[in-house]
Amino acid sequence: MPTERTSAGDPAHTLRLLWRDASPDAAAPTDRRRGPRRGLSIDAVVDSATALADAEGLDALTMRRVAKELGVVPMTLYTYVPGKAELLDLMLDAAYARMPRTDTAGQPWRRRVTAVAEENTALFARHPWAAAVSTTRPPLGPGQMAKYEHELSALDGLGLGDVEMDDCLTHLLTFVQACARAAADTRAAQQDSAMNDGQWWELNAPLLARVLDEKAYPTAVRVGAAAGAAHASAHDPAHAYTFGLRRVLDAFAALIDGADGADGTGGTGRTGGTGGAA
């Protein structure tokens, strides 16, 4: 289970910070700044926190540590951001806002959807901590909304209903995030053991050979050996992503009633759905 999740802080503070609400009746923390460090900004706090999480992970992310990186006392930081929960929302929304967005207008739908998957894979490569954050209650900031609008365009015009478009996008992004987490787990295991998966299996092969009974588990032993030989490991994150993405696209093709299902060369999809934004 993830140890961090978005929208865990004060919704009123969070939304004001995400949208930089400067209305007179919005008593945001940014309106109450005091002291000599008036050159500091919310963006500077977010950038520093993001750099820290990129380098050392979310375990290192504390308000005290971010304050130290910025050269201020912790209480100064709290005049900009109420706490870590709100800061995490700001970090993730900023990462969303900065994501490169591929122009796939006019491309076959499979290529458009693949581009969305690749954009999110690149996001998790730049910010590995983001894959560990639960976003079942997403930070509804400008970065999140721009990301959602862009990604829905890959599924628009295919005859899908609004809910179906949202379902497909959710399924795709859940798959990509799971792959990113698995890749991170693989890297962590290699770092902790100081050996890659191939070396680990080679070292432990004699022990496994003594305890595994091929007669008791004939299919498991046969298939496991074949997969291990193919991937030099029990799990190859890159292969799992490539194989899984193809299956996701095939499932979408079935929902779209075969439009572009065979080769992704074009087609309007089935009729009847609204094809609008979710």
Side-chain angles (χ1 to χ4, degrees):
M1 295 293 291
T3 58
E4 303 287 353
R5 62 181 177 85
T6 53
S7 299
D10 183 322
H13 277 310
T14 301
L15 286 175
R16 283 197 295 264
L17 288 167
L18 284 169
W19 291 94
R20 304 297 195 269
D21 189 346
S23 60
D25 60 342
T30 52
D31 296 328
R32 300 195 301 272
R33 288 181 284 180
R34 298 287 189 273
R37 288 283 301 188
R38 298 189 67 83
L40 197 60
S41 67
I42 294 177
D43 289 339
V45 173
V46 172
D47 289 346
S48 181
T50 299
L52 176 60
D54 288 348
E56 301 183 33
L58 288 180
D59 288 343
L61 184 68
T62 65
M63 296 293 280
R64 181 175 296 276
R65 179 66 188 280
V66 175
K68 181 180 179 181
E69 295 295 319
L70 288 166
V72 300
V73 298
M75 288 308 297
T76 298
L77 198 61
Y78 284 105
T79 65
Y80 292 87
V81 182
K84 181 179 175 180
E86 293 83 2
L87 178 57
L88 185 61
D89 284 350
L90 290 165
M91 291 165 57
L92 197 58
D93 198 70
Y96 289 161
R98 295 166 181 169
M99 289 176 66
R101 312 207 195 282
T102 307
D103 182 5
T104 56
Q107 295 290 319
W109 72 262
R110 282 180 179 252
R111 294 178 189 170
R112 299 200 304 266
V113 173
T114 297
V116 171
E118 291 175 346
E119 289 164 0
N120 281 272
T121 297
L123 168 72
F124 294 134
R126 286 191 299 272
H127 307 296
W129 54 269
V133 177
S134 170
T135 56
T136 54
R137 292 181 179 178
L140 299 179
Q144 165 71 34
M145 296 311 299
K147 179 177 185 289
Y148 188 47
E149 181 74 18
H150 165 72
E151 291 171 347
L152 286 174
S153 69
L155 296 160
D156 202 10
L158 301 178
L160 298 174
D162 290 355
V163 175
E164 289 175 320
M165 289 172 61
D166 182 78
D167 285 343
C168 287
L169 181 57
T170 299
H171 183 65
L172 175 71
L173 298 185
T174 300
F175 162 75
V176 173
Q177 186 174 21
C179 286
R181 288 178 179 175
D185 289 344
T186 298
R187 290 192 298 269
Q190 292 176 353
Q191 291 173 358
D192 292 345
S193 64
M195 62 182 75
N196 61 38
D197 284 356
Q199 294 168 330
W200 188 90
W201 282 104
E202 183 178 358
L203 178 66
N204 290 280
L207 173 62
L208 294 173
R210 289 198 300 270
V211 299
L212 285 181
D213 184 351
E214 294 186 18
K215 293 182 179 179
Y217 313 107
T219 307
V221 170
R222 186 188 79 244
V223 174
H231 308 313
S233 172
H235 178 73
D236 179 351
H239 171 78
Y241 171 81
T242 301
F243 176 87
L245 181 58
R246 288 174 180 167
R247 304 295 78 78
V248 170
L249 295 175
D250 289 345
F252 289 0
L255 186 62
I256 300 166
D257 285 346
D260 299 345
D263 56 13
T265 56
T268 58
R270 78 171 179 214
T271 59
T274 63

